[in-house]
Every structure is written in C-alpha cells, then in structure tokens.
C-alpha cells in the first residue's frame, strides 16, 4: 500500500509538469489553432535564464520570478515577429515553423551553456514525509501545489477579468473579436506570453529533478501533447486531469506490469490515447465540433 | 517564347529526360567516393520524404511517425539478410511489413480529425526506440545490427560505392515514377479533395476515411522502401535510426523542399543530408542552432518550400521591372518576360493541390 500511495503522489507530481506544458499548448492552440512544438524548448530557455541568474548571485525564487517575466516578453515577441506571419497560412507550414523554433532554441541553449548537465537548485526541500507507510517527498507535494495554484489563477484570469474575456473572445472567433474593436494582435501576444509563463514555471519545477540540459523537456513535451489530445483541445481542466492520469498510470504500469517496465512506460499514454480516441474522438472532455461546408 | 512553353514541347521534355538519365548513368562512374555516398544518402531520404509527402503534402494529415517505417524497413532488411533470405524476398518484406503496420495504425488513426493523427503518429518513434532496445534478440538492442549485402559483384567491375548508388538510383527512380503517377491520377485528385475539405469530399462520395487510410498505408510502404535503401547505403541500423529527432528533421525537410511536390521531395532529401554537413563545417557546436535558423529563414522567405524558388524569383523580377528594374539584375536573364508564364511557375508540380 505504501508503494502504491508513493507511486500515485509521484505520478501526480510529474503529471503536474506535463499539465503546465499542456495548458500552455492549449492556450496557444485555442487562440491561434496552432500546436506549438517549441513550448518545451521555450520552457528550457526560461529554466536556463533562471539558472544563469542564480549563478550571478540572484536568490533562487527571485531568479525564477525574473525568468518568468522575461519569458512573458519572449513569448510575446515570438508571436509578434515570427508566428504572426504564419498564423493564418498553411497549418503544416506553421507546425514546421514551431519545430524550427524548437531546434533553434534548443541549439541556442546548447551553444550558450553547453550540452552538459547543470545542477538546478530545488525550490522545495528534499525531505520526505512519512504517510501511510509511504515516504512522500516534499518536492512532489510542492510541485502539485504550485500546479493547482497556477490552474486556479489561470481560471480566475479567464473567468473573472476583462482581459480573460477578451482572450476568450479572440479564441472563439478572431474576426468577430476584431470587428468588436478588440486589439486581436496584442491579445495574441498576451496569449503567447502567458503560455511562455506556464512553460517557465514547468521548467523551474522539472529542472531540479532531471538536471538542466537543452533536451530536458523533450519527453515532457510528448507527454503534454498526449495530455492535450486525451483531455480534448477545448478543455483546460480536462487537459490537467488527463496529464495527472497519464503521470499516475505510467508510474503504476512501470511497476505493476512487468513487460512495460521503466523503458516502455512512455508507451502507456499512447495506448491510453488510442483506446480513448477510438471511443471518443473528441477526447475525454472535449466538445464535438460540427464542420460546415 | 516563355520558359513554360519551351518545356512543354515534347522533344524538349524527352531530351531533358534523356540528359538526366545519361547523367545518372555516368555520374557514379566519374564522381569521387564521398560524392557518390552523399548522393546515395540523398536518394534514401528523398524516398522517405516522398512517402511523407503522400500522407502529409498531398492528403493533409500531419504525420510525425514516418521515420518509424523507415526504421522498420531497415530492421526487416537486416533481419532477412542475416538469415540469408533471398534479397528480392527481403525487399518485398521490407515493403509489405511497414505497409501492413501502417494500415493497422491508419485504420484507427484515420478516424481522428486534424492534429490528433499527428499525436498518434508522434507515438511511433517515441515508443519504437525503447521497443527496439527491448527486443534485443531480434534487433541487437542498443548496439544495433549491421549487414553488408551490397558489395559490388565481381562481374560488374564497379566499386562498392558505385554499385550502391546504382541500386539507389534505380529503386528511387521507380518509386518516384510510381508515386508521381499515383498523385496525378484518380487517387491524387481524391487526396486533394480530402485535404481541401473533408466535408466536401464526403458530399462528393469520396470517403475521407478510406483515402486517409490509403495515403497512410502508401506512405508507410514507401517508408519501408527507404528503410531498405538505408541498409543498402549505410549498412547499419540501431534504435537511433528511428529517433524522434530524425522524424522531426524529416518533416522539416518535406516542408523545406516543398509540400505536395515530387521535385520538392528530392530537394527535401538533399536538405536532410546536406544541411548537417554544412552546419558542421561552419561550427560543430552550433549545429542545432544553425539548423533551426536555416529552417526558419527558408520558411520566412519561401513558405512554399525550395520548389517555389523559381516562382518567387520570377515575381521579384516582374516587380523589379515594374519599378524601373534593376532590383535583381542577376536573375533577369533566367526568367522570361512573359508574366503569364511566370505566375505559372512550375504548374505541374502543384497539381492536386486544392
């Protein structure tokens, strides 16, 4: 039983990191119809910025907050000067642009800070708490708490503020939003900025566990994409639940299903996707969209 | 007389084809070993990109799993060769195996709309790599397997690299010819309609589901052929062959070359092989950085891929002449003055594009 609880909590913790990236992907996808493959790379860059700042003597928490702020502007700049050109064009080209961005950012991190692993200090203590025969790390709990807070903040932003309302309007129909006098371009920049912020938080949370490398987020990105599909593109809460589900299930499968083990546990979310999508092509929580000719 | 009209004359076409064939026969004999090997590699990845083009360029389904079928084809080839099977049989299995797997995946994946197919196909390289490591008895695990079966036979009097290049040229040419016929024929038109608008396709009696399944299966089969050629040229495969990074590069190559274009597939293969060599020469530490930058610059300047370059140049020339000329003087002699021809560019390459 102890092992089981531990696996579930650890699964929720890693799932939270996937959830942060997945929310960022949904945010961008809702506003622009794009899947941003560079989201993981942007998160890595943010983590490197925070790490570089702490290296200069800035306290860790301040370094992370600064990197979050910088990420907001980087996200907005990327939208304004790179993605905007491709947003209404051929979606295949736009997807490849984000892939190019991923390659560029990963390469930039590797070029500036080498491909060696860097130690990134953890925000949370590395102690463990004994609970029901399980030893649960404070870091896992902290990661989960941060994620839940982020989710609540995001939800509050979307539902409780004027900015959130405008962002939703742009997401639903950019043309109508523009006709109603909303500054669509600026809102898209804000959307990308917020997505980058989510990525930056994910980066700061994952870097101490994996140690900082340019390719750190590659696997997390794949899981996040899985969560996005599984949860349904249109539902932020569904995406978070899916990310947690993936984190927990892959942990359990790795231990309790001998054939899967640690090397093949990456297959679990995709088997899950396969099964779910055959039954519900719109995802667990997504809405079915009707296409008009 | 415009360039297009010139190339539409039958004798010009046949002469051009004859020149290309003669060049393909002669070049392997006169070029240095390194050039031959590079061209052979370009052929291998041009075939892989061509397969991706069938499903993505022509049918509009983003696939991130094409490299998996290349790897599968390579593994089937190496397995057959190491068990001394007849090489023709091995080739057929390297085609059929990936096609069957592709068909099974497509039957499930094609039910999903839009980018969901991309997500399902992303799983192929992600799961394929650890799976290949796990099935070490067959795949040789992380070490990989090598097989030499394409040394030049005694009677030919050729060197190994020349012999291999000839094999690649022959198979690549056949695959390109067959694919060209496929995408310009009835199937190609159906693919284009599915790509353009699935609802329209259904209302015309074209089942988007089946045409997606067909496109995906054909793409997997062509991927298997690329895998066979991979073993012909590189003679070694490991789980790394089908890594996600390679899948991404393949996708980038397709778009850079030009989606929904036969020539674009060749250019894509060249991009796949040559750009890493180029960036390595410039600065080995900045390889990824430069590759990303090159990819973005190409897309910024040529969203339609390298294949649209002649059209873009023609447009610039026309604009330059309109405002007094001289903006792109070096290209003026290449392009012809007829604006109608310039807009046509390479019209045949874009057929089937809705």
């Amino acid at each position: 039983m102890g092992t089981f609880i531990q696996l579930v909590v650890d699964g929720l913790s890693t799932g939270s990191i996937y959830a942060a990236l997945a929310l960022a992907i949904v945010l961008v996808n809702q506003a622009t119809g794009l899947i941003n493959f560079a989201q993981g790379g942007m998160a890595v860059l943010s983590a490197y910025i925070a790490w570089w700042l702490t290296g200069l003597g800035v306290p860790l928490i301040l370094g992370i907050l600064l990197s979050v702020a910088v990420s907001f502007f980087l996200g907005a700049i990327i939208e304004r000067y790179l993605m905007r050109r491709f947003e209404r064009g051929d979606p295949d080209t736009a997807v490849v642009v984000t892939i190019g961005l991923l390659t560029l950012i990963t390469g930039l991190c590797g070029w500036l800070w080498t491909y060696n692993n860097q130690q990134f200090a953890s925000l949370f203590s590395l102690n463990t708490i004994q609970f029901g025969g399980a030893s649960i790390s404070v870091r896992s709990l902290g990661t989960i708490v941060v994620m839940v807070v982020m989710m609540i903040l995001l939800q509050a932003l979307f539902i409780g503020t004027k900015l959130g309302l405008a962002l939703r309007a742009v997401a639903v129909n950019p043309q109508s939003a523009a006709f109603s006098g909303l500054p669509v371009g600026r809102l898209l920049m804000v959307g990308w900025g917020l997505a980058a912020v989510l990525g930056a938080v994910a980066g700061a949370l994952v870097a101490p566990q994996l140690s900082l490398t340019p390719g750190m987020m590659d696997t997390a990105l794949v899981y996040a994409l899985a969560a996005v599909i599984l949860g349904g593109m249109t539902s932020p809460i569904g995406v978070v639940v899916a990310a947690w589900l993936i984190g927990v299930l892959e942990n359990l499968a790795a231990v309790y299903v001998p054939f899967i083990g640690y090397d093949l546990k990456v297959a679990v979310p995709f088997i899950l996707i396969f099964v779910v999508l055959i039954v519900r092509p719109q995802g667990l929580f997504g809405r079915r969209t009707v296409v008009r000719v | 007389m415009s360039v297009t009209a010139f190339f539409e004359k039958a004798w010009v076409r046949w002469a051009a084809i004859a020149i290309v064939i003669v060049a393909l026969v002669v070049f392997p004999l006169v070029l240095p070993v390194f050039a031959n090997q590079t061209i052979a590699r370009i052929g291998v990845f041009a075939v892989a990109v061509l397969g991706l083009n069938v499903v993505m360029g022509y049918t509009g389904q983003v696939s991130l799993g094409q490299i998996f079928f290349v790897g599968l084809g390579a593994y089937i080839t190496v397995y057959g060769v190491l068990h001394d099977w007849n090489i023709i049989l091995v080739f057929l299995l390297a085609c059929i195996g990936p096609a069957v797997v592709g068909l099974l995946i497509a039957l499930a994946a094609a039910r999903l709309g839009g980018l969901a197919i991309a997500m399902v196909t992303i799983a192929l390289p992600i799961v394929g790599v650890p799976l290949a490591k796990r099935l070490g008895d067959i795949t040789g695990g992380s070490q990989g397997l090598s097989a030499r079966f394409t040394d030049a036979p005694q009677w030919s009097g050729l060197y190994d690299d020349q012999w291999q290049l000839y094999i690649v040229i022959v198979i690549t040419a056949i695959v390109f010819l067959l694919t060209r016929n496929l995408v310009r024929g009835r199937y190609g038109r159906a693919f284009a309609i599915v790509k353009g608008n699935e609802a329209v396709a259904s209302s015309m009696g074209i089942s988007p589901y089946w045409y997606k399944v067909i496109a995906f299966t054909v793409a997997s089969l062509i991927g298997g052929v690329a895998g066979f050629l991979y073993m012909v040229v590189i003679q070694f495969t490991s789980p790394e062959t089908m890594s996600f990074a390679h899948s991404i590069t393949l996708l980038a190559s397709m778009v850079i070359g030009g989606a929904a274009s036969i020539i674009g597939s060749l250019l894509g293969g060249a991009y796949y092989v040559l750009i890493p060599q180029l960036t390595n020469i410039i600065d080995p530490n900045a390889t990824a950085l430069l590759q990303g930058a090159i990819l973005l610059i190409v897309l910024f300047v040529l969203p339609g891929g390298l294949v649209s370059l002649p059209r873009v140049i023609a447009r610039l020339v026309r604009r330059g002449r309109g405002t007094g000329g001289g903006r792109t003087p070096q290209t003026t002699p290449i392009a012809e003055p007829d604006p109608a021809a310039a807009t046509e560019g390479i019209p045949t390459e874009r057929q089937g594009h809705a």
Side-chain angles (χ1 to χ4, degrees):
Chain A
M1 191 62 197
T3 328
F4 181 80
I5 294 174
Q6 200 168 323
L7 287 172
V8 169
V9 174
D10 285 345
L12 286 176
S13 161
T14 41
S16 298
I17 289 156
Y18 310 152
L21 271 191
L23 277 179
I25 290 168
V26 168
L27 199 60
V28 167
N29 177 265
Q30 283 292 288
T32 60
L34 279 182
I35 294 281
N36 181 12
F37 279 91
Q39 205 75 63
M42 288 160 70
V44 171
L45 182 62
S46 309
Y48 266 108
I49 292 171
W51 171 79
W52 177 70
L53 286 171
T54 51
L56 293 179
V58 178
L60 180 64
I61 182 76
L62 191 63
I64 291 175
L65 289 177
L66 280 174
S67 91
V68 164
V70 171
S71 304
F72 181 85
F73 286 105
L74 276 180
I77 288 169
I78 288 171
E79 196 283 327
R80 176 65 187 84
Y81 291 103
L82 182 67
M83 296 315 299
R84 187 161 298 179
R85 194 184 154 97
F86 300 98
E87 261 155 14
R88 303 281 164 236
D90 183 7
D92 292 1
T93 312
V95 165
V96 177
V97 170
T98 67
I99 287 173
L101 194 58
L102 173 67
T103 319
L104 181 77
I105 293 176
T106 312
L108 185 70
C109 293
W111 186 61
L112 286 176
W113 293 294
T114 76
Y115 287 89
N116 303 329
N117 293 22
Q118 312 286 0
Q119 283 309 312
F120 192 99
S122 176
L123 261 183
F124 307 105
S125 85
L126 298 177
N127 297 333
T128 55
I129 305 168
Q130 294 302 318
F131 176 79
S135 45
I136 296 164
S137 71
V138 175
R139 185 163 71 185
S140 290
L141 290 176
T143 308
I144 298 169
V145 169
V146 170
M147 187 54 226
V148 172
V149 170
M150 297 279 298
M151 216 172 78
I152 293 169
L153 284 179
L154 201 66
Q155 200 71 19
L157 172 81
F158 273 105
I159 292 176
T161 65
K162 250 186 157 171
L163 174 67
L165 184 67
L167 281 171
R168 280 190 291 154
V170 171
V172 172
N173 191 334
Q175 266 110 24
S176 305
F179 284 136
S180 335
L182 287 174
V184 173
R186 215 171 309 152
L187 287 168
L188 285 179
M189 284 170 74
V190 172
W192 270 77
L194 287 176
V197 165
L198 283 170
V201 173
L205 291 175
V206 78
Q209 284 177 48
L210 299 178
S211 79
L212 191 56
T213 60
M216 175 179 76
M217 283 301 215
D218 289 359
T219 328
L221 176 76
V222 172
Y223 283 109
L225 290 170
V228 167
I229 292 300
L230 198 57
M233 293 283 201
T234 47
S235 160
I237 293 172
V239 164
V240 174
V241 172
W244 279 337
L245 197 66
I246 288 172
V248 172
L249 278 183
E250 65 153 359
N251 253 2
L252 294 178
V255 173
Y256 292 113
V257 186
F259 176 75
I260 290 179
Y262 273 95
D263 49 344
L264 275 183
K265 73 174 184 175
V266 69
V268 171
F270 294 102
I271 296 167
L272 200 64
I273 288 189
F274 223 62
V275 175
V276 168
L277 287 187
I278 285 171
V279 187
R280 275 181 69 86
Q282 69 273 39
L284 282 178
F285 299 86
R287 284 188 306 271
R288 185 178 276 283
T289 47
V290 178
V291 183
R292 259 185 297 177
V293 178
Chain B
M1 186 172 56
S2 76
V3 176
T4 328
F6 181 72
F7 275 108
E8 267 163 11
K9 293 204 170 199
W11 70 266
V12 177
R13 283 195 158 221
W14 286 112
I17 291 170
I19 291 169
V20 169
I21 289 174
V22 169
L24 287 176
V25 171
V26 173
F27 275 156
L29 298 174
V30 295
L31 288 174
V33 177
F34 180 72
N36 275 347
Q37 286 171 341
T38 306
I39 296 173
R41 278 169 191 246
I42 290 176
V44 172
F45 290 104
V47 171
V49 170
L50 182 72
L52 186 57
N53 238 325
V54 170
V55 70
M56 199 169 144
Y58 289 100
T59 322
Q61 311 299 317
V62 177
S63 168
L64 296 167
Q66 181 70 5
I67 202 77
F68 174 81
F69 299 105
V70 178
L72 188 60
Y75 271 120
I76 290 173
T77 307
V78 79
Y79 188 83
V81 167
L82 292 178
H83 287 76
D84 279 329
W85 295 351
N86 181 299
I87 195 65
I88 303 291
L89 177 72
V90 171
F91 176 73
L92 289 177
L93 287 176
C95 300
I96 295 166
V100 170
V101 175
L103 174 67
L104 290 177
I105 290 167
L107 285 175
R111 286 197 59 202
L112 318 170
L115 285 162
I117 292 183
M119 300 303 130
V120 172
T121 52
I122 211 178
L124 293 173
I126 297 286
V127 176
V129 172
L131 199 63
K133 285 181 184 161
R134 174 66 70 85
L135 302 173
D137 296 342
I138 304 168
T139 62
S142 313
Q143 308 291 311
L145 289 171
S146 56
R148 287 174 70 88
F149 62 103
T150 48
D151 294 344
Q154 205 72 54
W155 53 261
S156 66
L158 294 168
Y159 292 104
D160 288 352
D161 61 293
Q162 296 170 339
W163 177 251
Q164 285 161 11
L165 182 52
Y166 278 128
I167 296 176
V168 171
I169 287 175
V170 168
I171 296 180
T172 303
I174 293 171
V175 172
F176 267 74
L177 213 60
L178 290 176
T179 308
R180 179 185 169 278
N181 289 344
L182 179 82
V183 297
R184 297 213 176 154
R186 197 163 62 83
Y187 284 94
R189 287 194 295 277
F191 290 161
I193 296 166
V194 171
K195 178 180 181 176
N197 190 326
E198 287 183 23
V200 170
S202 313
S203 68
M204 288 169 72
I206 293 167
S207 160
Y209 178 73
W210 281 112
Y211 280 95
K212 282 193 230 169
V213 170
I214 291 169
F216 200 86
T217 309
V218 171
S220 314
L221 189 147
I222 297 175
V225 176
F228 179 85
L229 293 176
Y230 188 90
M231 286 310 297
V232 166
V233 176
I234 293 154
Q235 305 187 324
F236 169 77
T237 185
S238 72
E240 265 308 296
T241 305
M242 48 175 142
S243 77
F244 183 55
H246 289 155
S247 214
I248 293 277
T249 318
L250 209 55
L251 180 70
S253 305
M254 191 213 80
V255 174
I256 291 264
S261 160
I262 297 287
I263 302 287
S265 304
L266 273 177
L267 295 173
Y271 173 87
Y272 189 103
V273 174
L274 297 180
I275 287 299
Q277 293 185 0
L278 181 73
T279 52
N280 258 328
I281 294 170
I282 298 173
D283 181 357
N285 288 322
T287 308
L289 177 65
L290 290 170
Q291 280 181 29
I294 291 170
L295 178 54
L296 289 181
I297 291 168
V298 172
L299 288 176
F300 234 90
V301 183
L302 297 167
L306 290 174
V307 82
S308 64
L309 188 62
R311 238 176 312 162
V312 171
I313 290 176
R315 202 173 55 218
L316 284 177
V317 168
R318 245 180 312 144
R319 198 185 299 163
R321 217 188 346 271
T323 58
R327 265 189 65 195
T328 48
Q330 75 277 24
T331 56
T332 316
I334 303 168
E336 284 292 318
D338 183 1
T343 41
E344 288 299 299
I346 346 169
T348 43
E349 282 308 319
R350 281 287 164 164
Q351 262 185 22
H353 206 299

